[in-house]
Amino acid sequence: MRWTGLPEEAARPAREAESRRQAACVASACTLAPPGLPLPCPPMIAARLAPLRPSPRLRLHALAVLAATLLACRHSADADTVPPDEPSGSTPAIAEPPAADPTIDAARMFDDLEYLSSDALRGRYTFSEELGVAADYLIEQYRALGLRPVGEDHRVAFQAEDRFNPTISDDVVVWVEHTKDGSRQVAGDRLVTLANGGGKPAYADAVGIGPLATAKANAVRGKVVVAPAPPPDRLVDAVTAFAKHGPAGLVLIGEGDPALLNAAREPLAALELPIAWLSPADAKTWMGIETPKLRVPAGTRMSMSAKHENPKRDSFNVLAVLPGSEHPEEIVMLGAHYDHIGSSDTSMMCRAKDGDTICNGADDNGSGTAMVLGVARAMVKANYRPARTIVFAHFAGEELGLLGSEALADAPPKAAPFAGGKIVAMINLDMVGRLGKDGLAIGGVGSSDAWMPLLEEVGTRELPIVYERAINSRSDHASFYRKKVPVLFFFTGLHDDYHKPADHFDRINREGMASIAQLVADLTRKVADGAAVPYAPPRNDDEGVVSRMPGTDESSVEKRSITPPAPAATERSKPKIE
């Protein structure tokens, strides 16, 4: 657009605003454009396009969206002057289109899901590079929608223990198990580790013997052996010869200089036999072994294993904000975890089957991730302006123990809307892509007395629904409920492909997921428009935080809607499936 009808000083702010708007349009177009389309893409966007191209089908869909984006960017390009009815020196107002009902673009949502659950992302393990690729994809979509980050970045970092990929320490842990007295761990500061067995654990009957050189193979093979320690100058040779008899582990009893003993660690490490040294006094105190004859009580078993340490690693949640117009300090959070369990070569949680090594996690939880993004897209495209702020949240680390949501609930960012704000409600979507005969479960309705009236108001969209009062402990809403935030948990149930390589995109119930997404959009809008949702404590222990799945105990089921009346739906509010 050319702004020739204004004096230079008056025209400058309008030119700058128009320049920023055009740059945003180009950024959106570049994000959506198929490879090879000549657009003046900013370098940062252009450099990141390649890994974000889900499929030929998505590129075809993107062409249509791209055309609409570029058309909108023209913004009266032929206008040379301020319209005659504008007063001289004023900046022309750009009218926003009127708000419409947020309507889920189901085809676009499934394009997102297909990419997020593709082999290229290798199961989105929390501490993998591929989870970063998934985060980049989500961030690009939110930037294209114009949704702001929390603070400077859509990524909100946290640090957590990687409990499923521990590192192996050089030290061993020794447990002693007696028939009568139970088991106890030998204090780590009383042991001197000579070898960790290469990380291979030993658990076997314990037997006491005399000097190592007199040992008989059939008496020690497969046993954890307690023996007197040889002199330090003969230690390595004596133990090396003894190891040929095939013991499971070795505990040497004697007095020794720790410096001399530590010198033996390197040559003994090659034996792949866990070896520890204990003083006679500690052998009696901690193991009940009498010296000097080393009588091991009958029925004693011992375990020896390398100490496993969970390393601290960095990960990140992804947050995007649609600001509230009346109560921006009141936050409605719509969330889903975007991590999964990875592949068999990156995580011990994923077990390969029939040559398939990637646990893609289409339902768990690509479905919830794509649905959160789909609701955000529907609201932006409808020009919806909520009274309360909506935070679209994607959590990492759920599969490792709700790590990301706990980090966010315990230590919210020190930036708007969290700084000075409060989460008034949290809606969690986890495994919402396999609608079946048992229908949709909505858990947590007991966390506020307002939930059921709101849910009945938005209807069922012809879905069979079970409304559960209790709070399931196994997904991210639980982290916020523990902070006395009213929560809901949308869930279509476990299935045979849960945490297996077969959780593929082609097994998603698309019609069901599209209907659930529209229901979630309708409900989120009600809460964001200002509906009061006060926290309610549980009526009893069985309706607080529980491990059982929603709908499995009739005592905490509020209502079942198996054959509900279908609510009237306008053409505008029906989900589009292409």
Side-chain angles (χ1 to χ4, degrees):
M1 177 182 295
R2 291 176 293 152
W3 296 88
T4 59
L6 293 175
E8 177 62 25
E9 290 303 315
R12 184 177 296 115
R15 279 204 192 95
E16 291 174 351
E18 176 63 12
S19 177
R20 287 193 298 271
R21 193 187 63 77
Q22 292 288 354
C25 285
V26 169
S28 299
C30 289
T31 303
L32 295 169
L37 191 66
L39 285 173
C41 297
M44 180 186 72
I45 295 177
R48 295 166 74 177
L49 287 178
L52 304 179
R53 301 302 179 191
S55 64
R57 179 182 168 204
L58 176 55
R59 293 197 291 269
L60 289 173
H61 178 81
L63 279 172
V65 179
L66 174 62
T69 303
L70 294 176
L71 182 61
C73 289
R74 294 186 59 180
H75 185 63
S76 305
D78 296 330
D80 289 335
T81 61
V82 180
D85 57 345
E86 295 278 354
S88 177
S90 67
T91 300
I94 301 174
E96 291 186 347
D101 291 337
T103 302
I104 296 296
D105 183 344
R108 185 69 180 88
M109 179 174 68
F110 293 130
D111 286 334
D112 294 330
L113 174 53
E114 184 174 18
Y115 174 63
L116 291 167
S117 60
S118 66
D119 283 356
L121 268 66
R122 300 191 62 78
R124 309 183 309 278
Y125 183 66
T126 288
F127 300 111
S128 69
E129 292 182 4
E130 287 78 16
L131 189 76
V133 174
D136 284 345
Y137 179 82
L138 294 170
I139 291 168
E140 292 294 347
Q141 307 311 308
Y142 285 122
R143 284 176 177 164
L145 293 171
L147 294 183
R148 66 180 62 171
V150 174
E152 298 297 322
D153 196 342
H154 287 86
R155 292 192 187 206
V156 177
F158 66 92
Q159 194 173 68
E161 291 185 352
D162 187 355
R163 291 176 288 198
F164 286 87
N165 286 291
T167 58
I168 298 175
S169 168
D170 291 335
D171 296 326
V172 295
V173 177
V174 177
W175 283 81
V176 182
E177 182 181 300
H178 295 296
T179 304
K180 296 181 180 179
D181 301 329
S183 61
R184 67 186 307 190
Q185 181 181 347
V186 179
D189 61 353
R190 312 311 302 171
L191 286 170
V192 176
T193 297
L194 298 180
N196 72 353
K200 183 179 179 181
Y203 176 61
D205 292 334
V207 60
I209 64 170
L212 294 178
T214 65
K216 303 296 183 183
N218 59 353
V220 300
R221 184 175 292 112
K223 303 289 198 305
V224 174
V225 177
V226 181
D233 60 341
R234 297 183 53 219
L235 175 61
V236 173
D237 291 341
V239 172
T240 301
F242 172 75
K244 296 177 181 178
H245 296 319
L250 176 61
V251 179
L252 297 173
I253 308 299
E255 302 293 350
D257 182 346
L260 293 176
L261 297 179
N262 284 331
R265 294 182 72 153
E266 184 175 350
L268 293 177
L271 298 179
E272 295 191 358
L273 176 71
I275 307 168
W277 183 296
L278 201 64
S279 73
D282 287 329
K284 182 176 181 179
T285 300
W286 293 95
M287 295 182 172
I289 295 174
E290 297 290 340
T291 56
K293 292 188 177 181
L294 302 183
R295 292 190 179 93
V296 177
T300 299
R301 292 176 68 82
M302 290 188 190
S303 72
M304 300 181 71
S305 61
K307 184 186 296 183
H308 286 62
E309 298 174 343
N310 299 324
K312 287 273 191 179
R313 297 187 179 177
D314 294 326
S315 191
F316 36 83
N317 299 318
V318 174
L319 306 180
V321 180
L322 181 59
S325 58
E326 299 177 20
H327 302 287
E329 76 286 357
E330 296 182 4
I331 301 168
V332 178
M333 182 174 288
L334 179 63
H337 73 90
Y338 73 111
D339 67 307
H340 192 49
I341 62 173
S343 60
S344 60
D345 58 348
T346 60
S347 166
M348 65 174 64
M349 300 174 70
C350 179
R351 304 292 179 87
K353 184 175 181 181
D354 299 330
D356 191 349
T357 62
I358 300 174
C359 292
N360 300 89
D363 185 33
D364 186 16
N365 186 34
S367 62
T369 304
M371 192 175 290
V372 169
L373 178 56
V375 172
R377 185 178 288 117
M379 288 183 170
V380 170
K381 292 191 174 182
N383 197 35
Y384 170 58
R385 296 292 180 263
R388 290 169 166 156
T389 294
I390 303 176
V391 172
F392 301 98
H394 301 271
F395 307 111
E398 190 270 357
E399 299 288 6
L400 304 181
L402 315 186
L403 302 182
S405 58
E406 282 186 355
L408 184 60
D410 290 344
K414 296 178 181 179
F418 293 96
K422 177 184 178 182
I423 302 174
V424 298
M426 192 275 170
I427 300 171
N428 181 37
L429 313 176
D430 194 350
M431 298 179 64
V432 286
R434 293 283 196 100
L435 186 71
K437 61 181 179 60
D438 294 329
L440 169 67
I442 303 180
V445 300
S447 63
S448 175
D449 293 337
W451 280 135
M452 279 308 301
L454 280 172
L455 288 164
E456 288 173 345
E457 185 177 347
V458 298
T460 65
R461 293 209 164 257
E462 303 184 53
L463 297 168
I465 301 176
V466 55
Y467 301 92
E468 164 73 55
R469 290 192 297 275
I471 316 297
N472 177 266
S473 63
R474 293 172 54 181
S475 193
D476 292 300
H477 58 276
S479 299
F480 298 94
Y481 178 75
R482 292 186 174 103
K483 303 295 183 182
K484 296 188 176 351
V485 174
V487 299
L488 287 180
F489 171 34
F490 282 69
F491 176 64
T492 54
L494 298 176
H495 44 74
D496 291 343
D497 299 330
Y498 173 70
H499 280 196
K500 294 178 182 177
D503 186 4
H504 287 151
F505 171 73
D506 59 6
R507 300 192 179 188
I508 293 294
N509 179 339
R510 299 193 188 191
E511 293 285 343
M513 184 173 161
S515 295
I516 295 169
Q518 191 61 58
L519 178 61
V520 169
D522 296 344
L523 176 66
T524 304
R525 182 178 182 180
K526 288 284 185 185
V527 182
D529 280 344
V533 189
Y535 170 80
R539 300 178 189 176
N540 52 61
D541 291 343
D542 288 336
E543 295 185 10
V545 178
V546 299
S547 60
R548 66 179 182 271
M549 290 300 174
T552 57
D553 186 339
E554 287 299 321
S555 67
S556 60
V557 170
E558 177 70 23
K559 177 182 176 181
R560 289 184 183 272
S561 181
I562 301 302
T563 54
T570 64
E571 288 301 318
R572 186 171 57 182
S573 65
K574 290 180 180 178
K576 297 186 297 181
I577 301 178
E578 299 174 2

